[in-house]
Amino acid sequence: GTDWLAASTYENIDPRNSIQYLFDGNTNFGIDAPPGETVKVEWPSGTIQGDVRIWTDEAGSPGNLVANGNQSVVPTRGGWTDLGNIDLISIELHCPSAGNRLVAYAIELNGEILVQPGGYGPSGWHLPFDKNGPCVNYSRMREGITWDAI
């Protein structure tokens, strides 16, 4: 899978947060800017291309999410903000003051939440069980140990 952390460049994330929160598969922790600042996250063209949604929430009146430097989008409070079919190269989240902040929690591309490979960040683990697939001992998955479905 894509190393989303290595593909991302960013500035002004509130020090209480981490860029890892954007790619941990969890919508409980996100990224925002310190008061009076704007978070900007960027990716190379073609890295996040297709139907894109971002899980957002807001406090107060922080203003719109800005995609690709010029696409101003009204954020969804506690839900998916649809950016449409785009080549996402940047997002900006403004925090005009302590009580007015916009937070991004996850990015979805073509119906799949983008998750950093090799784990799911500080928030835990996501085990994508497929009832029609083979059983896998997830605790020993790196050793390639599998057995037939029951």
Side-chain angles (χ1 to χ4, degrees), residues 32 57-63 77 94-103:
D32 64 348
D57 204 354
E58 60 186 7
S61 300
R77 187 179 293 267
H94 190 56
C95 180
S97 63
N100 298 287
R101 63 191 186 103
L102 177 58
V103 185

Side-chain angles (χ1 to χ4, degrees), residues 9-89:
T9 58
Y10 53 91
E11 58 186 41
N12 293 332
I13 292 179
D14 188 304
R16 298 172 297 162
N17 301 320
S18 167
I19 189 68
Q20 293 175 343
Y21 291 160
L22 197 55
F23 301 108
D24 68 0
N26 188 324
T27 58
N28 291 324
F29 299 99
I31 61 168
D32 64 348
E37 300 287 338
T38 299
V39 167
K40 185 171 187 179
V41 185
E42 297 178 297
W43 301 274
S45 179
T47 304
I48 302 175
Q49 186 170 1
D51 290 321
V52 178
R53 300 191 315 163
I54 299 178
W55 185 277
T56 56
D57 204 354
E58 60 186 7
S61 300
N64 291 348
L65 179 145
V66 177
N68 295 345
N70 61 5
Q71 181 182 352
S72 182
V73 181
V74 175
T76 301
R77 187 179 293 267
W80 290 109
T81 299
D82 191 356
L83 301 182
N85 189 341
I86 65 169
D87 181 5
L88 185 64
I89 59 170

